[in-house]
Amino acid sequence: MGSISSSWCFNKFFAIVFVIFAISGEFVAGYYGPSPWSYAHATFYGDETGSETMGGACGYGNLFNSGYGLDTAALSTTLFKDGYGCGQCFQIMCVQSQHCYYGNPSTVVTATNLCPPNWYQDSNNGGWCNPPRTHFDMAKPAFMKLANWKAGIIPVAYRRVPCKRGGGMRFQFQGNAYWLLIFVMNVGGAGDIKSMDVKGSRTNWISMSHNWGASYQAFSSLYGQSLSFRVTSYTTGQTVYAWNVAPSNWNAGMTYQSYTNFR
């Protein structure tokens, strides 16, 4: 009887802890693991300053302020997936090229932009990002960690890896009194987002539609309410709750950070 009672107490304790963490928004979803290796090619754009990589099709704006820096890449259409590839992290390794640095080094980049097709050029001669090619157009400083930039294009091995982020997800607010537009940054785990919902302090959960890149929108009047978000990963389907992210006096143009993230 003693062992049964102890087991019951432990299970009860675990259940209570689980509920507390779920309610507080601190419960962390299961860990996302690396994918198998695949092969592609990589080029670079911009110069050593990375100024041309700022902004981009994911909507992250200044990549230093967003927390991504210059370890970034633009994805070909196949990988970009209409913006659902935004925020994903890739480990890229230079392979099978005389331009690779010694030891075939690798680096990890975050997807922050789209490398659009160029149908005026052959897919194997300049149209590197034409579907169905998988291609990475890297920020030049990231490319230079792998190979001599004079190579122009290199063969690479790549795989998805967990995005290691410090702190919680960040929510940048845009829009007006009747239209809320949220850019989501600093997403951990798989790094991507499939869907989002918003909850005002006086409303139920409101479904948000995908706008473009890493942004989601709701056509609702939510001024004067503190806001919480429910975020679901595109890759894993896991959901986390970010409670009371923005205070009731939130404003467009501001960025608010939660205590919640994927792992």
Side-chain angles (χ1 to χ4, degrees):
M1 288 295 292
S3 61
I4 294 176
S5 176
S6 298
S7 175
W8 181 85
C9 290
F10 175 80
N11 290 338
K12 184 177 180 181
F13 172 78
F14 180 82
I16 292 172
V17 171
F18 180 91
V19 170
I20 290 173
F21 273 82
I23 291 174
S24 68
E26 298 299 324
F27 178 70
V28 177
Y31 285 78
Y32 171 74
S35 70
W37 288 94
S38 300
Y39 294 94
H41 285 81
T43 49
F44 67 88
Y45 69 113
D47 59 19
E48 286 86 346
T49 68
S51 59
E52 293 183 37
T53 67
M54 299 297 114
C58 290
Y60 293 136
N62 185 307
L63 298 178
F64 290 106
N65 294 340
S66 301
Y68 300 120
L70 298 179
D71 291 321
T72 62
L75 306 183
S76 61
T77 303
T78 302
L79 294 171
F80 191 72
K81 300 183 181 71
D82 293 324
Y84 291 106
C86 288
Q88 293 178 349
C89 295
F90 296 86
Q91 183 181 7
I92 301 177
M93 178 188 301
C94 184
V95 296
Q96 301 175 350
S97 172
Q98 62 179 345
H99 299 288
C100 296
Y101 289 142
Y102 179 77
N104 298 99
S106 68
T107 190
V108 175
V109 297
T110 300
T112 59
N113 204 353
L114 168 68
C115 180
N118 183 354
W119 297 115
Y120 293 101
Q121 293 184 301
D122 185 88
S123 296
N124 295 309
N125 187 22
W128 309 121
C129 291
N130 294 348
R133 291 182 63 99
T134 54
H135 189 86
F136 298 90
D137 199 20
M138 304 172 68
K140 189 174 182 180
F143 184 93
M144 292 172 64
K145 293 180 179 181
L146 304 180
N148 189 320
W149 65 270
K150 294 181 180 180
I153 182 170
I154 55 173
V156 297
Y158 75 94
R159 64 175 179 171
R160 290 275 306 279
V161 293
C163 298
K164 298 178 180 179
R165 307 295 185 207
M169 290 180 286
R170 300 173 188 168
F171 300 83
Q172 183 187 87
F173 281 53
Q174 299 294 339
N176 54 46
Y178 303 99
W179 173 56
L180 177 65
L181 180 66
I182 300 293
F183 291 88
V184 191
M185 301 168 286
N186 202 51
V187 180
D192 51 25
I193 297 173
K194 176 184 179 181
S195 62
M196 274 184 59
D197 305 278
V198 60
K199 185 184 186 307
S201 51
R202 299 191 300 272
T203 72
N204 294 319
W205 287 105
I206 299 169
S207 178
M208 305 181 75
S209 59
H210 184 217
N211 186 290
W212 61 278
S215 68
Y216 288 78
Q217 61 188 357
F219 294 91
S220 302
S221 179
L222 294 167
Y223 271 143
Q225 301 182 59
S226 59
L227 301 183
S228 302
F229 296 95
R230 180 167 59 192
V231 184
T232 299
S233 167
Y234 178 82
T235 297
T236 68
Q238 295 168 335
T239 298
V240 295
Y241 290 78
W243 294 101
N244 301 314
V245 172
S248 58
N249 62 342
W250 59 267
N251 282 302
M254 296 294 292
T255 299
Y256 302 92
Q257 185 159 2
S258 72
Y259 294 100
T260 308
N261 215 329
F262 296 96
R263 292 289 185 264

